[in-house]
Amino acid sequence: MKLSTKGRYAVTAMMDLTLHENEGPVTLSDISQCQGISLSYLEQLFARLRKHGLVTGVRGPGGGYRLAQPADRITVADVILAVDDNVDATRCGGKGDCQDGERCLTHDLWSDLSGQIYDFLNGITLAGLAERPSIREVMARQDLKHARSRAPSPSAA
Amino acid sequence: MKLSTKGRYAVTAMMDLTLHENEGPVTLSDISQCQGISLSYLEQLFARLRKHGLVTGVRGPGGGYRLAQPADRITVADVILAVDDNVDATRCGGKGDCQDGERCLTHDLWSDLSGQIYDFLNGITLAGLAERPSIREVMARQDLKHARSRAPSPSAA
DNA sequence: TCAATTTCCCAGTATTTCAGTGGGAAATAG
DNA sequence: CTATTTCCCACTGAAATACTGGGAAATTGA
């Protein structure tokens, strides 16, 4: 389990898709402008997300990306694992003969901890994140702005 | 909150100190041989751990490093934050005027998640890690080996 | 049919971080 | 005094990160 800015970019971008899920596909240039990430770098990230079956791309005008699965079935761990490829784990490869053949217990310990971190992140879905109070608050403000032709109806998807 | 091999090295090294806490200071060359990390790189890591008040160095023969605080007061989050310096967090710096002044909510969302990860790792102390069954098991084997004045026990592993 | 949009794809580059190398100074135990 | 070990610094190679740029394929709408 690795946790870097790359993973953060991916998660925030996926949240963008989640929050605008019912407004059609989201273009990468939108996310690029919002997040301040270069378009091509986003393309690279989304290529991986697509290969891992997390998003689907829609080409052409009006196209963009949308979630390939319901938001409550995609976890933060899924997203992070999709973008940063394999973790090499231990240096001694679990040979266990590092020093006197006994000292290497800390390796097991890390894999133990790492597993816990994974379980934790795997328990947080995009839908779950989107339901947080701090987010719903900002979403409500957005709804007001976007309701330009009619009275603000509380109808959510 | 960042989670990389650097942080893993630091945590596993700190666990080494924790597990041999009552055997006097642990030298970096010991950890180097065990973990397969270069001595100088470990020195760099421990310089940071020392500056953050997590370890104390003892010079001279018989010296080494020991925990600067009781193992149940040092958390995994402490260790990780000590070695990988600041996380820049958001790119737009929370200006909030990224697109239409409304799209940047995903940043808040990430800081929310990041805070949760921190809380999680901050709830795991070195002492807590050392008490895990898988670790105690290996520790027990070590105790047998270190008891050299008695008859050698049947081969482990 | 044509132009604009947008995903897709690939090859290259700059920057940063990771990890290691090497030399040497200061403290300390024996 | 000497061996050990922390401390400190400056440098290097390798890898990951993040960006640049060019272009092809699909799709929409005029």
Side-chain angles (χ1 to χ4, degrees):
Chain A
M1 204 69 214
K2 200 166 64 174
L3 196 59
S4 60
T5 58
K6 198 171 176 181
R8 191 187 74 215
Y9 285 159
V11 171
T12 51
M14 289 294 278
M15 280 311 302
D16 229 320
L17 300 199
T18 304
L19 296 172
H20 302 93
E21 206 176 6
N22 45 3
E23 303 169 22
V26 178
T27 68
L28 291 191
S29 57
D30 274 358
I31 299 178
S32 170
Q33 287 176 26
C34 164
Q35 235 99 318
I37 316 169
S38 81
L39 181 60
S40 291
Y41 190 46
L42 270 177
E43 282 176 351
Q44 289 172 34
L45 293 181
F46 271 78
R48 283 181 152 166
L49 293 172
R50 195 170 59 85
K51 280 170 189 164
H52 283 256
L54 298 181
V55 299
T56 54
V58 182
R59 291 183 171 186
Y65 284 95
R66 51 174 29 139
L67 299 181
Q69 305 172 33
D72 58 354
R73 299 207 45 191
I74 301 179
T75 71
V76 173
D78 290 334
V79 177
I80 290 177
L81 287 184
V83 290
D84 32 67
D85 33 20
N86 62 339
V87 194
D88 64 336
T90 58
R91 173 67 64 89
C92 81
K95 282 178 292 185
D97 56 347
C98 317
Q99 177 97 326
D100 306 325
E102 39 119 314
R103 285 265 183 94
C104 251
L105 71 167
T106 45
H107 285 166
D108 302 313
L109 209 149
W110 176 261
S111 67
D112 187 345
L113 177 63
S114 184
Q116 274 224 354
I117 295 172
Y118 172 81
D119 289 341
F120 174 69
L121 292 179
N122 202 41
I124 304 178
T125 66
L126 297 183
L129 270 182
E131 278 172 7
R132 309 221 165 176
S134 59
I135 304 307
R136 298 228 68 85
E137 199 175 306
V138 187
M139 286 290 286
R141 277 208 294 277
Q142 278 197 29
D143 285 344
L144 288 180
K145 286 195 180 184
H146 281 290
R148 42 186 177 271
S149 59
R150 52 177 180 150
S153 65
S155 63
Chain B
M1 205 71 214
K2 202 167 65 174
L3 197 58
S4 59
T5 58
K6 199 173 178 181
R8 191 187 73 215
Y9 285 160
V11 172
T12 51
M14 288 293 280
M15 279 311 301
D16 230 319
L17 299 199
T18 305
L19 296 173
H20 301 94
E21 205 176 6
N22 46 3
E23 304 170 21
V26 179
T27 68
L28 290 191
S29 59
D30 273 358
I31 300 178
S32 171
Q33 287 176 25
C34 163
Q35 234 100 318
I37 316 171
S38 81
L39 182 61
S40 291
Y41 191 45
L42 271 177
E43 283 177 351
Q44 289 172 35
L45 293 182
F46 272 77
R48 282 178 154 168
L49 293 173
R50 195 170 59 85
K51 280 170 189 165
H52 283 256
L54 298 180
V55 299
T56 54
V58 181
R59 291 183 171 185
Y65 282 96
R66 51 173 31 138
L67 298 181
Q69 304 172 35
D72 59 354
R73 299 206 46 189
I74 301 178
T75 71
V76 173
D78 291 333
V79 177
I80 291 176
L81 287 184
V83 290
D84 26 73
D85 33 21
N86 63 340
V87 195
D88 64 336
T90 56
R91 174 65 65 87
C92 81
K95 281 179 291 182
D97 57 349
C98 318
Q99 178 99 326
D100 306 326
E102 39 120 314
R103 286 264 181 93
C104 251
L105 72 167
T106 46
H107 285 168
D108 301 313
L109 211 149
W110 174 262
S111 66
D112 188 344
L113 176 63
S114 182
Q116 273 223 354
I117 296 172
Y118 172 80
D119 290 341
F120 174 68
L121 293 180
N122 202 42
I124 305 178
T125 66
L126 297 183
L129 271 181
E131 278 171 8
R132 307 218 168 178
S134 57
I135 303 308
R136 297 229 69 85
E137 200 175 306
V138 188
M139 285 290 288
R141 276 209 295 277
Q142 279 196 29
D143 286 342
L144 287 179
K145 286 199 178 182
H146 280 291
R148 40 188 178 271
S149 57
R150 290 190 294 162
S153 55
S155 61

